[in-house]
Amino acid sequence: MTLKPKLYGLVGSPIQHSLSPCMHNAAFSALKIKAKYKLFELKPDQLEAFLHSLKKDNIRGFNVTYPYKEEIIKFLGSKSLPVKEIGAVNTVVVDNFGKLKGFNTDYLGFIAHLKELKLKPKNVALIGAGGAAKAVCFALAKMKIAQLGIYDIDKFKSLSLFKKLNSSFPKIKFDVACRIEDLEIKNKDLLINASPVGMRPGDSCLINANDLHENLFVYDLIYNPPETKLLLLAKDHNLNFSNGLGMLLYQGVFAFKHFSGRPGPVKIMQEALLKGVMRK
C-alpha cells in the first residue's frame, strides 16, 4: 500500500495571491522531503469541517493567515508561550494523535526582517489591530521601542490590543488613535500597515502625503502587489520603504522547522519567493 504524501498548506481567505507554496515546496524538494504544500482557501463555515478532516487527508501542518489567526486558537490542543502572549497563531502542527499545536512565527519573521533592514525603531505608528498586527506589536515590544500608536477601523480591536500591550509591557507608551491622522506620523520613525487595505486594486491609500517626512521608514506587510499605493507614495517622496516579502520569508523559515524538524533553507526559499513574485 502506497502511503499518502504528507500535506501542508495555508489556511485563509482570500489566499490565491499567496507565495507560500513556492517557498515551502522548494524547501521540501531541496531537502528531499516527501511532502507538498498547497492552498486551503476556506470560508468561515468551512473551517471546522476542514480541521476534522486533517487526519484523513494526512495534513500534518498548516500556516494560518487572514482572517483566522485568532479564530484558530480555540481549536488548539496546545499553544506556545508566544501564542498565549500574542493572542494569534500563524503555524499549526498536527501531531500523531491528531492534536493541534499552535505557534507564532510571524513575530520572529518580522524581527528577522527588521534586523536585515538594519532598522531599530523607537517611535512607531501601526495601522491594523488583527492577528498580524498583534505579532508585529509583540515583536516591537521585544525590540524595546519607546512608543507605539495603533489605529484600526474597528476601535474595539485597537482598544483590546492596547489593553493587552499596556498590561504586558508597562515600560512602553501605547496610544490608540481614533483616526489615522491622530497617529501623529510626523513624530514617528516607522509606519507599518498591518491591515489588508492595499491588496485590492481599488483600495485607496491610507496615508496623506502631508504626514510623510524624510526620517520615516514605511513598511507594508502586504507583498502582493509588491508596491501598494502606500509604498508608491513613499517611493514618490524618496523615503525608505519595504513590503512584507522579507517577513514572509523568515516566518516561513521558522514555520518550516516546525513542520519538518529541519532548518528552513533560507537561500532556496528566498529564491523561490523571488521567482514567484516575477510570475505574479
Side-chain angles (χ1 to χ4, degrees):
M1 184 176 72
T2 304
L3 292 174
K4 284 185 180 180
K6 290 180 180 178
L7 281 182
Y8 298 87
L10 176 67
V11 170
S13 180
I15 53 173
Q16 292 306 313
H17 66 282
S18 176
L19 297 176
S20 290
C22 305
M23 169 173 61
H24 286 283
N25 285 325
F28 285 138
S29 177
L31 298 181
K32 295 181 169 52
I33 296 172
K34 291 183 180 178
K36 185 177 181 181
Y37 190 104
K38 58 189 290 189
L39 298 177
F40 300 109
E41 182 151 343
L42 303 174
K43 294 176 182 176
D45 60 358
Q46 296 175 312
L47 180 62
E48 192 163 357
F50 168 80
L51 296 175
H52 287 309
S53 70
L54 297 173
K55 192 172 182 181
K56 174 174 67 72
D57 295 332
N58 205 26
I59 297 170
R60 305 303 298 271
F62 52 91
N63 290 121
V64 187
T65 189
Y66 180 85
Y68 303 124
K69 287 176 185 279
E70 297 151 297
E71 173 74 10
I72 202 78
I73 290 177
K74 67 184 180 185
F75 298 103
L76 299 176
S78 66
K79 44 188 177 282
S80 67
L81 182 58
V83 165
K84 293 175 183 176
E85 293 179 311
I86 295 167
V89 170
N90 80 304
T91 301
V92 176
V93 173
V94 185
D95 71 15
N96 293 330
F97 302 99
K99 299 292 184 183
L100 307 186
K101 298 181 177 182
F103 304 91
N104 193 303
T105 66
D106 275 339
Y107 87 96
L108 293 170
F110 185 69
I111 289 173
H113 193 210
L114 288 199
K115 284 183 179 176
E116 184 179 274
L117 293 168
K118 295 181 170 57
L119 288 180
K120 295 180 179 178
K122 287 298 176 187
N123 301 296
V124 184
L126 174 70
I127 299 171
K134 287 180 175 180
V136 164
C137 289
F138 186 76
L140 291 168
K142 289 293 184 184
M143 295 176 74
K144 298 181 179 178
I145 62 167
Q147 194 268 337
L148 173 64
I150 305 164
Y151 168 80
D152 193 280
I153 194 169
D154 183 340
K155 194 175 180 183
F156 175 78
K157 274 189 176 181
S158 51
L159 282 171
S160 176
L161 179 55
F162 164 79
K163 287 176 183 176
K164 186 177 181 66
L165 291 168
N166 219 27
S167 172
S168 300
F169 304 99
K171 292 184 179 179
I172 298 172
K173 185 176 186 296
F174 298 101
D175 296 299
V176 172
C178 295
R179 305 173 303 158
I180 287 180
E181 292 82 356
D182 297 331
L183 284 171
E184 298 183 345
I185 294 168
K186 287 191 174 180
N187 298 324
K188 304 297 192 293
D189 50 31
L190 175 61
L191 167 65
I192 303 167
N193 177 39
S195 80
V197 178
M199 291 176 67
R200 297 172 293 272
D203 288 348
S204 59
C205 184
L206 293 166
I207 298 300
N208 189 311
N210 294 332
D211 290 324
L212 303 178
H213 60 88
E214 62 180 357
N215 296 318
L216 183 69
F217 191 103
V218 180
Y219 191 107
D220 199 326
L221 267 65
I222 295 168
Y223 60 84
N224 192 359
E227 290 184 346
T228 59
K229 288 177 182 175
L230 173 61
L231 294 186
L232 287 171
L233 182 67
K235 188 177 185 179
D236 288 344
H237 285 74
N238 297 314
L239 302 185
N240 291 318
F241 64 90
S242 176
N243 63 24
L245 198 66
M247 178 179 173
L248 176 71
L249 167 66
Y250 290 114
Q251 67 77 27
V253 168
F254 291 115
F256 187 86
K257 178 72 182 292
H258 286 300
F259 292 153
S260 69
R262 298 172 67 178
V266 178
K267 191 172 181 182
I268 287 166
M269 295 173 82
Q270 185 175 43
E271 286 173 356
L273 280 180
L274 294 174
K275 285 179 185 175
V277 168
M278 297 292 288
R279 285 197 294 270
K280 293 281 184 181

